[in-house]
Amino acid sequence: MNERSAAPGGLALIESLVNTLDIESGADALDTADGRARFGLTDGADDVVRARELRESLRAALLAHAGHPPHREVTPLGELLSAAPLVVTVDAADGTAALVPADAHPLHSRVATAVAEALVAGTWLRLKACQAADCHWAYYDRSPAGRGRWCSMQVCGARAKMRRYRAR
């Protein structure tokens, strides 16, 4: 649906996870073995249920980044990520530091790491979800003012403008 380039760094993982569900068609990439494998998920039902819960909590956060209300009731993202603590490690030889996931669900740990890195880089709030109720596609807002509202101006933005025009 989206012609934008992928989000930078670890945010690409989050964008990709949120975009596993095409709300308009109902197609869910997590229903396929290939889709689950992209995120290191097993075929176990519990693994997929947890990934979907994380996906929808992320979508709610991205909608909030764009100033939109949540699409539905979800488990708060902070609650999910608190189960995936990160530990700061420092290399004794060269002093470099890194965030390393503690023992937790691998996908949750990868997402927690990506969020932490985006917070440090100042890019977390630029990852948003499309305003269109039949879309909510995740996208990285590269606009200078950071006020992007749609995943695609040519599709979702044009539809919204046409609806407003017809309403007048």
Side-chain angles (χ1 to χ4, degrees):
M1 164 153 313
N2 169 339
E3 77 280 348
R4 294 176 184 253
S5 58
L11 289 178
L13 167 70
I14 295 170
E15 179 182 54
S16 179
L17 177 59
V18 171
N19 292 341
T20 57
L21 176 64
D22 183 332
I23 291 175
E24 190 171 27
S25 72
D28 187 344
L30 297 180
D31 287 339
T32 68
D34 287 343
R36 291 186 296 274
R38 281 184 25 217
F39 298 98
L41 301 173
T42 66
D43 287 336
D46 185 51
D47 219 15
V48 175
V49 167
R50 291 181 72 187
R52 285 187 174 128
E53 179 183 38
L54 178 60
R55 174 183 67 198
E56 295 313 312
S57 293
L58 285 164
R59 186 183 319 277
L62 303 187
L63 283 165
H65 290 177
H68 311 304
H71 60 303
R72 63 180 181 155
E73 274 300 311
V74 296
T75 304
L77 183 59
E79 188 177 313
L80 293 177
L81 295 184
S82 70
L86 302 174
V87 177
V88 177
T89 61
V90 180
D91 186 285
D94 65 6
T96 57
L99 288 174
V100 179
D103 292 331
H105 188 271
L107 180 59
H108 285 64
S109 295
R110 289 171 51 210
V111 167
T113 302
V115 170
E117 290 170 353
L119 285 169
V120 170
T123 57
W124 172 237
L125 294 176
R126 289 278 181 153
L127 191 61
K128 300 178 178 181
C130 182
Q131 173 179 319
D134 60 347
C135 181
H136 291 322
W137 201 253
Y139 66 95
Y140 188 77
D141 184 359
R142 296 183 191 291
S143 67
R147 294 187 184 165
R149 299 173 64 181
W150 300 287
C151 64
S152 166
M153 215 33 230
Q154 290 72 28
V155 179
C156 292
R159 288 178 186 168
K161 288 181 175 188
M162 187 55 69
R163 278 192 292 273
R164 278 198 313 266
Y165 174 77
R166 288 184 182 148
R168 284 188 253 145

